[in-house]
Amino acid sequence: ICSELRPAILDDVGLSAAIEWQASEFSSRTGIVCNIKTEPPHIKLSEELSVAIFRIFQETLTNIFRHAQATEVNVVLRLTPHAFSMRVCDDGVGMKFSEAHKMNSFGLLGVMERVRGFGGEMAVYKGDLGGACLNIIIPSPDPPAKEDKIMARAKEAVPIL
């Protein structure tokens, strides 16, 4: 049970590898294909945020298995200087979005509480594959200062001799 809540791989190599591991385990158990895309390839976050994202991912896969009748799941993890985002979409039967927005589901409620605990936002909507999509965005605790962005652009535009 402990390894499913917090695998050692999360500490050893970071969130990206832990998500890929969990997706592989899920695919092996269920036969549902999981496609993972990470930008950049190796995302490392704080320990607390990594655990929260990993648990959100686990809950999302559990919901897909129980309710979606999906054959495929697409996951995109993205880290920018300003925010971390995770989008999980399936090709299943979808869900009643009016019920999802009421947050009657303890699973979705738990996800929302975790996301809001980091000052983030969550959306559930119908995806391009026909099933449901969960999108979370969590702002960076230390976004780059405006001056840092200006200097970074200047250094890219004009080489410093």
Side-chain angles (χ1 to χ4, degrees):
I1 293 174
C2 260
S3 70
E4 289 196 17
L5 291 177
R6 183 182 174 79
I9 197 169
L10 195 57
D11 293 325
D12 295 339
V13 293
L15 182 64
S16 302
I19 293 289
E20 289 175 13
W21 171 81
Q22 184 64 56
S24 177
E25 290 288 310
F26 176 77
S27 291
S28 295
R29 284 193 315 264
T30 65
I32 299 171
V33 175
C34 284
N35 304 302
I36 309 288
K37 181 178 179 182
T38 60
E39 299 170 5
H42 304 288
I43 294 175
K44 288 200 137 210
L45 302 172
S46 71
E47 179 179 326
E48 186 179 14
L49 182 54
S50 292
V51 171
I53 297 300
F54 185 76
R55 289 183 179 157
I56 289 168
F57 184 64
Q58 286 181 310
E59 180 64 33
T60 303
L61 291 180
T62 298
N63 286 340
I64 290 169
F65 177 70
R66 287 183 182 162
H67 307 293
Q69 301 172 18
T71 60
E72 184 177 353
V73 176
N74 291 325
V75 180
V76 178
L77 305 172
R78 185 171 289 132
L79 180 63
T80 70
H82 302 283
F84 168 82
S85 65
M86 178 172 72
R87 184 178 69 233
V88 182
C89 299
D90 67 63
D91 68 347
V93 297
M95 62 187 296
K96 295 179 182 176
F97 291 98
S98 60
E99 291 178 14
H101 291 294
K102 291 179 188 174
M103 293 300 157
N104 290 340
S105 162
F106 285 117
L108 286 177
L109 185 59
V111 168
M112 178 166 273
E113 287 176 1
R114 282 191 173 109
V115 170
R116 285 186 176 167
F118 289 95
E121 297 178 15
M122 176 185 109
V124 179
Y125 54 94
K126 183 173 181 164
D128 295 339
L129 297 175
C133 284
L134 170 78
N135 194 42
I136 64 167
I137 299 173
I138 297 176
S140 171
D142 301 312
K146 187 174 184 177
E147 297 79 24
D148 292 343
K149 289 188 284 185
I150 292 169
M151 286 304 296
R153 284 190 208 138
K155 286 178 185 177
E156 289 173 8
V158 180
I160 297 176
L161 302 174

